[in-house]
Amino acid sequence: MFDTFAEKKFLLKQLVKRDLTSKYKDSVLGILWSFFNPLLIMLVFTAIFSMLFGRSIENYPVYFLSGRLIYDFYNAGTKGAMNSIKRNAYLLKKIYVPKYMFAVSSICYEFVNFLISFIILFGVMTITGASFHLTSIYAVIPIFLLVILIFGIGLILAVCNTYFSDVGYLYNVFTLLLMYASALFYPIEIVPSSIQILFTLNPVYSAISCFRESVVYGVVPDFSTLLYLAAFAFTVFGIGIILFKIYEKKLVLEI
């Protein structure tokens, strides 16, 4: 399926560029919304939850924002890939384009937004007096594994959503539950120890935890958590590729 990917780099760039320009086409602030959106969300959640958890979490704005950026990338990336086939049905019916390219371009587009959001994180860390650690370089590992996870789940959802429209609605409910199950705005210590094991099974929480350890707390991410995240991500990635390859030629008939 991906044997011609190197030959499609130009197409991928054009699709990502199209997504960037179309999203901000009629917006006054344009791409600046990529900065303001996570910042405004952080301010609202900080104002609400810092009174509850501010004493138990040092530098609550950075704690929340670091988790929110990871979750938002996962949420937007998988949903973009999920809707990519249906959203580009008019193109697929007119010309031949490798169908996986639309899922890949959607995820790449969200990755660009994710990188832009880092400017906000670094800005908030500077303003709040947070320390910058050399261990931040290790953040590359959970981010890379998160990208692999998003690609895998995105390909699976793209196929399922093409055949069953209900998948999109169900996934919206799932991601809402996932947000509360990823300890974005509260410390995991407030959860009963018997339930904390469920958090460790959540790969998004694993990515958030490792990211926070390296960037916020200045320690090397827990190896066992990274190993679990890697195993989960590459397994799902393999399943996604196999499933998409099986149904790729049949997708046009369903849109």
Side-chain angles (χ1 to χ4, degrees):
M1 181 177 71
F2 294 103
D3 53 342
T4 61
F5 182 76
E7 302 174 4
K8 304 297 182 181
K9 287 183 179 179
F10 177 77
L11 174 61
L12 178 60
K13 291 179 181 178
Q14 293 304 310
L15 289 174
V16 174
K17 183 179 179 180
R18 181 201 64 175
D19 290 341
L20 285 169
T21 54
S22 62
K23 179 176 181 179
Y24 302 111
K25 181 179 179 181
D26 299 319
S27 174
V28 176
L29 294 177
I31 200 170
L32 288 177
W33 277 115
S34 294
F35 294 92
F36 288 129
N37 185 52
L39 182 61
L40 292 174
I41 292 176
M42 183 210 69
L43 291 174
V44 171
F45 273 78
T46 298
I48 296 174
F49 292 105
S50 61
M51 293 181 292
L52 295 175
F53 307 120
R55 293 181 180 179
S56 57
I57 299 178
E58 184 179 355
N59 202 333
Y60 185 83
V62 174
Y63 176 88
F64 170 75
L65 186 58
S66 60
R68 181 75 194 200
L69 293 184
I70 297 293
Y71 169 80
D72 280 351
F73 177 39
Y74 171 86
N75 183 43
T78 53
K79 287 183 178 178
M82 177 178 67
N83 297 313
S84 61
I85 302 299
K86 286 189 173 182
R87 188 172 63 247
N88 294 282
Y90 67 98
L91 277 177
L92 290 171
K93 291 179 179 180
K94 291 181 178 180
I95 60 174
Y96 171 75
V97 180
K99 299 167 188 62
Y100 68 85
M101 291 297 295
F102 294 107
V104 172
S105 67
S106 296
I107 296 171
C108 289
Y109 161 71
E110 295 300 343
F111 184 67
V112 172
N113 285 330
F114 176 62
L115 294 180
I116 292 174
S117 299
F118 267 91
I119 300 175
I120 299 299
L121 177 60
F122 293 147
V124 171
M125 290 178 69
T126 301
I127 293 173
T128 58
S131 300
F132 289 88
H133 308 283
L134 292 176
T135 54
S136 295
I137 190 64
Y138 290 107
V140 174
I141 302 175
I143 290 174
F144 169 75
L145 295 175
L146 181 66
V147 171
I148 298 298
L149 176 68
I150 291 173
F151 270 110
I153 292 180
L155 290 174
I156 294 172
L157 290 173
V159 173
C160 294
N161 190 51
T162 303
Y163 280 88
F164 309 102
S165 296
D166 291 343
V167 169
Y169 300 106
L170 292 173
Y171 193 66
N172 285 333
V173 176
F174 171 78
T175 52
L176 179 62
L177 296 175
L178 184 68
M179 180 181 70
Y180 290 99
S182 298
L184 298 187
F185 48 83
Y186 60 87
I188 192 175
E189 288 74 20
I190 70 171
V191 179
S193 56
S194 58
I195 301 179
Q196 288 183 19
I197 184 65
L198 297 178
F199 283 79
T200 63
L201 298 177
N202 175 3
V204 176
Y205 171 75
S206 297
I208 291 173
S209 177
C210 292
F211 182 79
R212 280 175 173 160
E213 286 177 341
S214 58
V215 176
V216 180
Y217 301 124
V219 297
V220 177
D222 181 68
F223 179 76
S224 60
T225 304
L226 284 176
L227 189 62
Y228 170 75
L229 177 58
F232 194 101
F234 280 102
T235 299
V236 172
F237 183 68
I239 295 173
I241 290 178
I242 294 172
L243 185 67
F244 200 89
K245 189 172 183 178
I246 292 173
Y247 289 96
E248 182 177 17
K249 295 181 180 179
K250 305 175 184 177
L251 294 178
V252 177
L253 301 176
E254 301 295 329
I255 55 180

